[in-house]
Amino acid sequence: MRLAIVTASVGQGHNSVALALQEAFQLEDPNIKIKIFDVLDDSRVYQFFTNVYLQVITKNPSIYSKIFYWSQQHQQASSIISYLNFVCFKTLKKMKQSFQPDAFIFTHPIPTNSYNATIKIPAWTIITDYSYHPIWYNSDITGYFVANDHLQNQLLKNKYPIESIFNTGLPIKQSFTTGKKVYKPLIQYPDTHPLILIMGGGLGIGALNSIVEKLETIDFPFQGLIVTGKNERLYWEMKKLENRDSKKWEIISFTNEIPSLMKKASLLITKAGAITLTEAQACELPTIIYNPIPGHEEENAHCVCQQGWATWAKTPEELIHMTTDLLVSSNRLKSMRECTMKFARPSAASDITKIISSHLSVPFRGTI
């Protein structure tokens, strides 16, 4: 069997899902030929996301929010989306010709939207958010994998067949769901000092500077570890924190050690990328959401806060209050950790591989 997973390296979430599925398929059958493709390898698509999308969400998030909520109600494709679909459809045809996959698996809405049945191989989509947006919908898609009942119901409203919707949860790598790898910090602190992990996503966006300034005012011993992702400028800017007299801060850039960091941490402060939240949930890590991207991340925040293992600080004052409250209240942290266990779906990646394999009539070990 040959599988083409098509992602887009906008942030890290879509890529993380692609890598989790690649890992799960290869664990089930090492003979599977599987390759990850990135639609941003096309310079035209790359220019759109770097010059338009990322600029808007970082510099004008309120504009992005208006576009997001307007487009939820107005489903006709814009000229920009139509152009991206045209370019990406040609890219999919080239992938099919060069790699000759038996199926496509999409982890981003652009390849999902650009696919059509004339390609003549099945295509599956993992919706990598907790909330629905019409840009994910394409009636030609063979099957959808979703994180919750809300997404399933939204697809049903579009008259998508229920037998092709699979409420599996979001797939994450096995390192988040097994083992107890322990991160060894650069600065050794007493075990009584809780570790606060602060993340801004794979691109290192978010109000990291603001978060640090607020947390510096907390009169409670803790260790702070900041992950700046692939944002090199932000990394060197934040690196100066390690020289402060407080000696509370350690700064690291993009890393593959997020599973061990999450398992070591007592508390996570992050924006609201669905994959980061799913990973935190699997690691039983209580979470404070701060400064999520307006639109899809705000919808993600509403979802996990309702589950009880995350809380949303909407102002700097709330961030200080919530962080202090959780640092001094072991019972509250314990209660939030218990909530993560109620909603975690650790077998999502394995379940997805078995469903797709069954559809393609390839024998796999075990059953759902």
Side-chain angles (χ1 to χ4, degrees), residues 150-334:
H150 163 72
L151 286 164
Q152 177 173 299
N153 291 335
Q154 290 299 312
L155 290 170
L156 291 173
K157 285 182 180 179
N158 282 302
K159 302 190 184 309
Y160 192 80
I162 190 169
E163 64 271 15
S164 298
I165 307 171
F166 303 93
N167 189 348
T168 56
L170 293 177
I172 55 177
K173 295 190 75 173
Q174 193 177 61
S175 52
F176 288 97
T177 60
T178 60
K180 289 292 181 183
K181 290 173 63 179
V182 176
Y183 174 72
K184 295 181 180 179
L186 180 67
I187 306 170
Q188 294 298 317
Y189 289 85
D191 289 339
T192 54
H193 287 199
L195 173 64
I196 302 177
L197 177 62
I198 303 171
M199 298 174 60
L203 292 173
I205 57 179
L208 297 188
N209 276 305
S210 173
I211 291 171
V212 168
E213 294 306 321
K214 299 304 176 186
L215 295 185
E216 278 277 327
T217 67
I218 293 178
D219 186 21
F220 190 90
F222 68 87
Q223 175 192 356
L225 196 151
I226 301 171
V227 181
T228 61
K230 295 181 178 179
N231 190 328
E232 188 173 348
R233 180 195 60 77
L234 181 62
Y235 170 75
W236 289 111
E237 181 181 338
M238 302 296 289
K239 195 74 174 170
K240 300 172 186 175
L241 293 171
E242 293 180 347
N243 298 322
R244 288 193 175 185
D245 292 339
S246 64
K247 299 297 180 184
K248 287 182 176 180
W249 304 102
E250 181 179 348
I251 317 300
I252 59 177
S253 57
F254 184 81
T255 176
N256 291 319
E257 294 300 316
I258 297 300
S260 58
L261 295 178
M262 285 188 170
K263 290 172 184 177
K264 176 71 173 177
S266 301
L267 179 66
L268 171 67
I269 299 176
T270 183
K271 56 194 198 69
I275 306 308
T276 296
L277 293 173
T278 302
E279 292 165 349
Q281 187 183 60
C283 293
E284 301 176 19
L285 179 57
T287 297
I288 296 176
I289 294 167
Y290 186 66
N291 201 36
I293 295 173
H296 66 289
E297 286 199 355
E298 290 180 338
E299 297 294 317
N300 293 339
H302 284 298
C303 177
V304 296
C305 288
Q306 288 174 356
Q307 294 177 351
W309 60 271
T311 187
W312 186 353
K314 297 184 179 180
T315 66
E317 293 73 26
E318 286 187 355
L319 177 65
I320 296 171
H321 174 76
M322 290 178 180
T323 304
T324 304
D325 180 55
L326 290 173
L327 289 179
V328 301
S329 175
S330 58
N331 287 337
R332 176 79 192 283
L333 281 176
K334 180 182 177 182

Side-chain angles (χ1 to χ4, degrees), residues 101-139:
D102 296 298
F104 281 118
I105 302 172
F106 301 137
T107 69
H108 191 274
I110 292 300
T112 297
N113 223 251
S114 64
Y115 170 85
N116 68 55
T118 63
I119 293 181
K120 295 183 179 179
I121 61 172
W124 303 79
T125 286
I126 294 88
I127 298 181
T128 56
D129 274 311
Y130 294 147
S131 64
Y132 181 75
H133 191 282
I135 196 173
W136 283 102
Y137 186 71
N138 181 345
S139 61

